């Protein structure tokens, strides 16, 4: 999994301090920066995540989360009747993802933003340059918080709403909006406790007997010229949405052929572009495909769980 900016991947949510004393009013960007800093205290909570599907309907998922400093995480996605759908355990070195229904385990390195070509400071500077941030006092999960609204400077469109714990910076609730103002995703803590004691065993994982373990390919975060070394001529788009800049790329092997995965960022949102050889098709699970007119011809537009997917041939 890759996480960028303030996306709603829940294992990037950060805890705050246990105290709830009323602090003096800080600057909005300082609140935002604090919410992006590493966790300082253990916590446990329950989260509800909602995503807008291709048919316009929203589907909700419940998640139980635990954290212990400096970098131990446990996330349990729960289905009907509290049945475990997905388990993610990060032990400080390895991230384990277990899907009981598929009887499969994925293993990879724990996410580390400092290995990206854009570090956290560069990402934050990009965010501050592309978005206006307004702030007011509010409440979420029964706690005092600062409610932040991020609006795109080019058109003033609302992009994110964030509720950040006043006492220490926990992201208690968030909402993401599309270009038409529709709410695409939301996350909220229904309950949270700080200083929670969690046994060591909760942050340890051993694959169940007989379960297949697959090693996850790690991104390389290459520069443009490094793609040429792999024998591929990079083709960047002539146009990008306002505020987006090139961040990095990966050269991915698919069978005997190679494709390039480009990443672009505006500090909050992520945009991916895949450059594929002729007749190679990628399945993103997008639905509701429709034909659209482009400057260079026609393409297909569909919506998946992670956003809109546009495809075309050139």
């Amino acid at each position: 999994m890759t996480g960028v900016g303030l996306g709603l991947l829940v294992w990037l949510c950060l805890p705050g301090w246990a105290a709830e004393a009323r602090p003096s009013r800080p600057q909005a960007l300082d609140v935002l920066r604090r919410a992006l800093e590493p966790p300082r205290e253990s916590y446990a909570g329950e989260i509800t995540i909602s995503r807008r599907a291709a048919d316009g309907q929203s589907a909700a998922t419940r998640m139980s989360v635990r954290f212990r400093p400096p970098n131990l995480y446990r996330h349990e996605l729960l289905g009907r009747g509290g049945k475990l759908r997905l388990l993610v355990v990060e032990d400080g070195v390895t991230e384990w993802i277990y899907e009981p229904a598929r009887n499969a385990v994925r293993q990879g390195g724990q996410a580390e933003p400092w290995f990206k070509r854009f570090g956290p400071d560069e990402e934050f500077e990009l965010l501050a340059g592309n978005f206006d941030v307004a702030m007011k006092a509010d409440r979420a999960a029964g706690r005092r918080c600062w409610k932040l609204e991020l609006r795109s400077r080019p058109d003033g469109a609302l992009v994110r709403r964030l509720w950040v714990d006043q006492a220490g910076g926990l992201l208690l609730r968030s909402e993401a909006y599309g270009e038409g103002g529709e709410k695409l995703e939301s996350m909220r803590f229904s309950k949270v406790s700080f200083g929670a004691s969690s046994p060591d065993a909760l942050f340890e994982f051993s694959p169940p007997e007989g379960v297949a373990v697959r090693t996850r390919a790690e991104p390389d975060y290459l520069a443009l010229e490094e793609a040429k070394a792999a024998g591929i001529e990079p083709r960047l788009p002539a146009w990008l949405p306002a505020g987006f800049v090139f961040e990095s790329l990966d050269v991915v092997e698919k069978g005997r052929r190679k494709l390039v995965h480009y990443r672009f960022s505006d500090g909050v949102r992520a945009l991916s572009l895949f450059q594929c050889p002729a007749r190679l098709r990628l399945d993103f699970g997008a639905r509701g495909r429709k034909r659209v007119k482009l400057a260079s011809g026609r393409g297909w537009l569909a919506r998946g769980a992670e956003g809109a997917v546009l495809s075309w041939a050139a």
Side-chain angles (χ1 to χ4, degrees):
M1 313 182 139
T2 58
V4 261
L6 296 175
L8 292 178
L9 294 177
V10 174
W11 32 95
L12 292 182
C13 294
L14 305 175
W17 298 346
E20 199 178 352
R22 187 188 299 272
S24 59
R25 186 180 180 89
Q27 296 295 313
L29 284 178
D30 291 337
V31 172
L32 193 55
R33 184 184 289 276
R34 171 64 188 89
L36 296 173
E37 291 177 357
R40 297 179 181 179
E41 186 176 2
S42 62
Y43 76 96
E46 293 184 6
I47 291 174
T48 299
I49 310 160
S50 295
R51 287 193 173 97
R52 187 172 182 263
D55 59 5
Q57 301 297 314
S58 293
T61 301
R62 292 188 302 121
M63 177 184 284
S64 172
V65 298
R66 284 183 177 271
F67 166 80
R68 195 172 75 188
N71 52 8
L72 305 181
Y73 295 88
R74 181 183 180 91
H75 307 81
E76 299 177 9
L77 269 70
L78 306 175
R80 292 182 178 179
K83 185 177 180 180
L84 180 65
R85 289 175 49 195
L86 183 75
L87 172 65
V88 180
V89 176
E90 299 183 33
D91 60 13
V93 177
T94 304
E95 178 187 66
W96 300 90
I97 303 175
Y98 173 44
E99 297 180 77
R102 297 177 56 192
N103 205 33
V105 171
R106 282 176 287 164
Q107 173 190 5
Q110 191 161 333
E112 177 49 74
W114 292 104
F115 289 120
K116 295 172 59 180
R117 296 187 64 81
F118 279 11
D121 289 339
E122 292 173 292
E123 197 94 51
F124 190 83
E125 289 177 7
L126 186 60
L127 182 159
N130 284 329
F131 296 91
D132 289 318
V133 184
M135 184 178 77
K136 67 178 183 180
D138 203 348
R139 294 188 70 86
R143 296 178 63 85
R144 296 189 185 97
C145 65
W146 298 115
K147 180 181 177 181
L148 305 177
E149 285 194 350
L150 279 65
R151 293 185 178 272
S152 173
R153 285 187 174 164
D155 58 12
L158 176 63
V159 174
R160 293 286 191 276
R161 283 195 175 109
L162 308 170
W163 286 258
V164 181
D165 182 36
Q166 287 189 13
L170 171 62
L171 186 62
L172 297 172
R173 180 180 169 187
S174 62
E175 295 175 351
Y177 295 85
E179 291 184 357
E182 71 278 15
K183 184 163 62 175
L184 300 179
E185 298 179 324
S186 68
M187 178 281 294
R188 64 178 180 85
F189 273 88
S190 55
K191 63 179 181 180
V192 62
S193 60
F194 300 102
S197 177
S198 299
D200 292 345
L202 288 179
F203 304 106
E204 299 170 355
F205 181 83
S206 296
E209 186 175 352
V211 174
V213 178
R214 181 163 56 93
T215 300
R216 184 187 65 213
E218 301 297 334
D220 291 324
Y221 303 115
L222 304 177
L224 281 172
E225 56 271 16
E226 293 176 281
K228 296 182 180 181
I232 299 176
E233 185 64 32
R235 296 182 62 183
L236 290 179
W239 175 88
L240 286 169
F244 279 87
V245 297
F246 171 75
E247 194 275 320
S248 63
L249 63 81
D250 278 329
V251 176
V252 182
E253 294 188 4
K254 194 170 180 64
R256 295 182 179 181
R257 294 181 285 184
K258 295 179 180 179
L259 59 92
V260 182
H261 174 199
Y262 302 91
R263 302 181 195 86
F264 305 89
S265 173
D266 65 359
V268 172
R269 297 167 294 186
L271 176 65
S272 286
L273 173 66
F274 293 85
Q275 177 183 329
C276 305
R279 294 179 294 280
L280 177 61
R281 298 292 182 266
L282 301 179
D283 182 9
F284 297 100
R287 299 292 180 265
R289 192 174 75 152
K290 64 180 182 179
R291 198 77 179 266
V292 293
K293 186 177 180 180
L294 305 175
S296 58
R298 292 187 177 274
W300 295 94
L301 181 64
R303 179 166 290 281
E306 300 300 328
V309 178
L310 177 65
S311 58
W312 71 95

